[in-house]
Amino acid sequence: MWELIRQNRRKSFILFIMMGICLLLLGYLLGMAFWGEGGGPAGLALAFIIWAVLSLVSYFSGDSIMLRMAGAKLVTPDVHPQLFNVVEEMKIAASLPVMPKVYIIDTPAPNAFATGRNPEKSAIAVTAGLLTRLNRDELQGVVAHEMSHILNRDILFMTFAGIMLGSILLLSRMFLYSGGGRGSRRIESKKSSGGGGVPIVAIIAIIFAILAPILAHFLYMAISRQREYLADASAVRLTRYPEGLASALEKISRSDKEIPNVNKVTAPMYIANPLRAKGKKAANLGSTHPPIKERIRILRTMSHGADFAQYQEAYQSVTGKDENLIPSSGLKDAAAIPIRGRETAGVEPPDPNSKTGTRQLNDLMRAVNEYLFVACVCGLRFKLPPDFKKKEFSCPRCQRNIVVPTAELAAAAVVLDQLEAKDKITADAKQTSIDKTYHRTGTGWETLSCPSCGHKLQLSPDFEGDSIKCGKCGTEIKIEK
Amino acid sequence: MELIVLLIIFFIVAIFVVSIYNSLVRLRNQVKNAWSQIDVQLKRRHDLIPNLMETVKGYMKHERETLENITSARSRAMGAETVGDKAKAEGELNGAMSKFFLVVENYPDLKANQNFLSLQEELTSTENKISYSRQAYNDQVLFFNNKIEVFPSNIIAGMFNFKQSEFFEISDPGERDVPKVDFS
């Protein structure tokens, strides 16, 4: 496994260097075309500075930019206990030092991505659409795929490669749209003074400015596609169950919903190409992801074992290529690993287009957005947005008066603050003085506030434990029916 | 002159030995760490079982034997000390649990119980965590044992008395599988 990661890094590093050379050469040529023969180093420096600034920004805040762009929200385990369990299982299987943060994106399109510059700072984001569509085994496959990206250190690398692509695009556009004209004027003036070298340089620069982005693009896509295959292989090795990922991919490919705010640079981070719905053929060379049908076929061809050698064999027989996807040193690491049996607990999720499926999806999306779930005695359920200001309202069906729990809790918090200010009770004393029990009002989604810190917690309909831990201050809150 | 050459050779050898020694220590710690991961998950399962018993006992009055098997297997597993003992006892617990989950099939009321369903998710997850931590532990042990056996690290391992670690295998082939939790 470790051998493989090292090999993988070395291979990517070569491609990475090639793109770097591409960038610097472009800078050098553009510099020469812009400022004459002495301008080469200046252009080189400019290209390097652009690249360095973008890289620094993406290194330190790339993950938060990515998460914000996708609209991902950090959630507590009570919103979706199964997702947290599955992430923890895969964390254990991959022996990562820390648990990645878990985000949910409130979009009906099924997809997922991982981000974070190193395993300690990693995060996994899945869409609400994915969660309501997949069963446990499938979800495990998807999470394992994302965990493999973290484990194989793909994310930082893809971010840097993406930045490189971005800088090349930026430089060549700058040149072709604005600089190109000025450059040609300079060529004319040089021509009149008898200089013959510069026009040739300018022509080469223009050609290169057109070619470099295309070249870099192909390199980027090649790296990205290889990473996807590798993450699939590692996911199977972690879960020992290729069918889980295969049927998850199948379900994802069946959806035609699109994720908002995705561009060419962030697309490779997702498990399945999020741009594919735009009427483009996914199988072409410029795609960031291998054709999904091919990935499924490879996974389904693996019937003898879950190790890398098996994946490679399946890959070769499905694509007909002789290419070694996985370096030989990664193949010798262990004897054949058997595939485990299906062990899904619970039931197949409802059809996403059915009434229950849609309701589940919407409830999950509201839970992510901190909606309040209030049930009336007559059975009607209300979903109150977080900015709902009224303290009480009447039920439209039975006219009963319903008190919004947050208003109560906010009032309690005020009283608590006053108490605290009055005699400065210690945190311990405070904890014992508050009633840390919550009485459930129904069986649907419910929201409660932590009695010690006021942090909002969601109770899912599936939650049936007898206590819940506050995600912020760690207080145990008893749940009673 | 010769002295300097000898010193340089000695120095190189020393660096070599130290680096191999350090990597062996690191690996041994990783094995220990992986083992503690399994331990955490096994403890978790032991903690979940009383909860499970509490939930099902009202429904399964006629299955005293099955339930008692689980309870006794659990207490034996909690008392086990060595890796081998533990593997054996946990294997027995696995067997008792899978029997229990087969029996549950006959109790539709229980399968509809919300409390039981969430316990079932927790148990499935814990079973998975056990098998994944075992998988990770065995990978580490394989790597460590290989390192102790191959040249040149075998010399250093012998000098400093590094011992091979035991694999965590469930002995009885029939009990190798984690209980299938399937209520569909």
Side-chain angles (χ1 to χ4, degrees):
Chain A
M1 196 100 176
W2 310 115
E3 288 290 316
L4 177 78
I5 294 170
R6 215 172 300 143
Q7 278 269 349
N8 179 21
R9 256 193 248 172
R10 203 172 305 146
K11 214 167 175 179
S12 321
F13 191 68
I14 296 168
L15 284 166
F16 187 64
I17 292 288
M18 275 164 73
M19 270 176 90
I21 292 170
C22 210
L23 173 72
L24 294 179
L25 203 64
L26 183 68
Y28 192 81
L29 281 169
L30 296 193
M32 268 167 77
F34 252 123
W35 297 299
E37 265 167 282
L44 200 105
L46 180 74
F48 187 75
I49 288 169
I50 291 179
W51 175 75
V53 168
L54 288 177
S55 296
L56 280 176
V57 170
S58 69
Y59 182 80
F60 287 109
S61 51
D63 50 347
S64 50
I65 293 173
M66 176 89 189
L67 287 165
R68 215 175 307 137
M69 265 176 71
K73 298 213 167 61
L74 190 66
V75 290
T76 46
D78 39 289
V79 173
H80 203 286
Q82 194 179 63
L83 174 65
F84 272 77
N85 277 338
V86 167
V87 171
E88 201 183 340
E89 282 161 27
M90 286 302 110
K91 175 231 155 198
I92 290 168
S95 18
L96 282 186
V98 288
M99 173 99 170
K101 283 190 213 134
V102 179
Y103 288 79
I104 296 182
I105 308 167
D106 62 336
T107 163
N111 222 324
F113 69 85
T115 182
R117 62 174 182 263
N118 55 31
E120 284 79 22
K121 287 204 177 263
S122 55
I124 287 181
V126 294
T127 64
L130 188 88
L131 285 172
T132 44
R133 252 167 246 247
L134 303 187
N135 68 27
R136 201 173 200 289
D137 274 338
E138 292 160 351
L139 183 62
Q140 204 178 43
V142 170
V143 170
H145 175 100
E146 297 311 331
M147 203 64 91
S148 308
H149 277 313
I150 296 172
L151 187 66
N152 295 342
R153 312 292 194 280
D154 286 349
I155 297 154
L156 184 63
F157 179 79
M158 284 316 293
T159 314
F160 275 169
I163 291 302
M164 196 91 96
L165 174 68
S167 346
I168 290 174
L169 281 175
L170 193 72
L171 267 181
S172 65
R173 286 226 179 122
M174 256 163 63
F175 176 71
L176 289 176
Y177 290 149
S178 66
R182 228 183 304 151
S184 52
R185 237 176 286 136
R186 183 173 281 279
I187 295 162
E188 275 168 45
S189 66
K190 277 273 172 180
K191 219 180 211 168
S192 57
S193 65
V198 182
I200 298 163
V201 167
I203 290 162
I204 293 173
I206 290 171
I207 294 170
F208 201 73
I210 296 165
L211 283 183
I214 301 169
L215 199 73
H217 199 82
F218 279 130
L219 274 175
Y220 184 62
M221 299 311 156
I223 302 171
S224 164
R225 279 209 303 275
Q226 212 208 354
R227 297 289 166 144
E228 290 303 317
Y229 281 126
L230 213 58
D232 279 358
S234 315
V236 170
R237 199 180 183 279
L238 289 179
T239 58
R240 321 248 143 134
Y241 189 61
E243 181 53 30
L245 183 57
S247 69
L249 286 174
E250 203 170 49
K251 279 189 185 170
I252 292 171
S253 72
R254 250 185 266 142
S255 157
D256 52 359
K257 297 209 168 66
E258 254 191 62
I259 285 206
N261 292 325
V262 178
N263 59 37
K264 268 183 190 164
V265 176
T266 57
M269 310 287 178
Y270 288 88
I271 185 165
N273 192 356
L275 300 170
R276 94 198 103 82
K278 281 185 180 158
K280 271 189 203 163
K281 261 183 118 181
N284 61 17
L285 273 171
S287 172
T288 51
H289 288 67
I292 205 157
K293 288 218 173 79
E294 197 174 288
R295 286 166 71 189
I296 297 168
R297 262 218 314 281
I298 293 172
L299 291 167
R300 295 228 159 113
T301 313
M302 300 177 72
S303 49
H304 308 300
D307 44 314
F308 288 138
Q310 284 292 327
Y311 189 85
Q312 171 125 315
E313 211 173 272
Y315 171 78
Q316 285 171 348
S317 79
V318 167
T319 58
K321 286 179 202 154
D322 227 13
E323 173 194 353
N324 278 347
L325 190 68
I326 291 149
S328 50
S329 59
L331 294 177
K332 65 169 187 212
D333 66 336
I337 299 167
I339 293 175
R340 70 166 167 82
R342 180 187 144 85
E343 57 165 298
T344 284
V347 281
E348 193 64 16
D351 175 21
N353 297 321
S354 70
K355 209 172 155 193
T356 18
T358 318
R359 178 169 292 166
Q360 261 187 23
L361 174 69
N362 289 339
D363 276 0
L364 182 61
M365 279 169 37
R366 291 198 183 96
V368 169
N369 285 322
E370 298 188 2
Y371 269 56
L372 269 176
F373 291 80
V374 185
C376 178
V377 192
C378 70
L380 212 56
R381 287 169 69 225
F382 301 97
K383 292 137 190 170
L384 309 177
D387 54 355
F388 188 80
K389 284 288 181 295
K390 280 190 196 162
K391 284 179 183 159
E392 51 183 31
F393 60 96
S394 61
C395 171
R397 193 200 278 171
C398 64
Q399 311 303 324
R400 277 192 190 88
N401 207 37
I402 297 164
V403 180
V404 179
T406 33
E408 266 184 316
L409 290 162
V414 171
V415 174
L416 205 75
D417 281 350
Q418 285 169 347
L419 265 177
E420 207 173 348
K422 206 157 74 184
D423 42 21
K424 293 214 165 170
I425 32 170
T426 58
D428 288 345
K430 188 182 81 186
Q431 272 187 356
T432 48
S433 69
I434 316 164
D435 182 17
K436 278 177 291 194
T437 322
Y438 174 79
H439 296 274
R440 292 202 74 156
T441 47
T443 48
W445 280 99
E446 280 174 50
T447 302
L448 61 140
S449 285
C450 170
S452 359
C453 67
H455 181 66
K456 258 192 236 159
L457 295 160
Q458 302 276 345
L459 278 182
S460 87
D462 300 332
F463 184 85
E464 284 294 333
D466 44 23
S467 74
I468 187 168
K469 217 171 191 178
C470 170
K472 207 171 177 185
C473 65
T475 313
E476 286 267 328
I477 305 160
K478 272 198 183 146
I479 307 293
E480 272 175 23
K481 284 208 108 178
Chain B
M1 187 58 204
E2 279 165 17
L3 192 73
I4 294 171
V5 171
L6 273 176
L7 268 176
I8 290 173
I9 291 173
F10 177 76
F11 201 65
I12 291 170
V13 169
I15 289 177
F16 194 63
V17 169
V18 166
S19 71
I20 290 182
Y21 177 80
N22 283 348
S23 76
L24 280 171
V25 170
R26 205 165 36 239
L27 282 173
R28 191 170 58 189
N29 286 341
Q30 275 171 7
V31 168
K32 271 187 202 153
N33 182 41
W35 175 248
S36 69
Q37 285 296 324
I38 302 185
D39 240 17
V40 169
Q41 299 309 328
L42 289 177
K43 278 212 185 71
R44 203 180 136 65
R45 176 159 75 171
H46 298 158
D47 293 345
L48 279 172
I49 286 172
N51 259 336
L52 178 74
M53 294 297 118
E54 198 60 34
T55 314
V56 301
K57 75 177 177 198
Y59 295 86
M60 301 174 81
K61 289 192 179 102
H62 308 293
E63 308 288 348
R64 279 245 326 255
E65 199 192 334
T66 321
L67 300 187
E68 270 168 14
N69 274 346
I70 292 181
T71 318
S72 65
R74 170 181 175 261
S75 50
R76 247 174 294 137
M78 284 174 85
E81 288 292 330
T82 64
V83 176
D85 281 356
K86 218 163 207 159
K88 193 163 166 280
E90 292 296 341
E92 281 168 19
L93 183 56
N94 272 359
M97 294 291 283
S98 41
K99 255 179 227 136
F100 165 77
F101 281 119
L102 279 178
V103 171
V104 166
E105 287 299 300
N106 305 329
Y107 294 85
D109 286 359
L110 183 57
K111 288 198 297 180
N113 182 327
Q114 277 291 316
N115 209 346
F116 179 72
L117 284 178
S118 70
L119 254 174
Q120 178 202 321
E121 161 63 25
E122 282 308 304
L123 267 167
T124 313
S125 179
T126 309
E127 299 289 357
N128 284 348
K129 282 169 195 162
I130 291 170
S131 72
Y132 287 129
S133 52
R134 204 172 66 204
Q135 180 178 312
Y137 170 78
N138 285 343
D139 280 357
Q140 290 287 359
V141 168
L142 181 77
F143 202 64
F144 179 62
N145 288 356
N146 278 348
K147 194 91 179 175
I148 288 180
E149 271 176 21
V150 298
F151 183 82
S153 46
N154 61 346
I155 300 169
I156 287 106
M159 266 161 65
F160 294 98
N161 203 16
F162 280 91
K163 290 211 179 68
Q164 296 219 341
S165 294
E166 243 176 296
F167 285 100
F168 188 83
E169 295 285 2
I170 305 265
S171 41
D172 188 339
E175 287 163 353
R176 193 176 285 266
D177 296 331
V178 180
K180 305 262 182 305
V181 189
D182 189 358
F183 299 106
S184 46

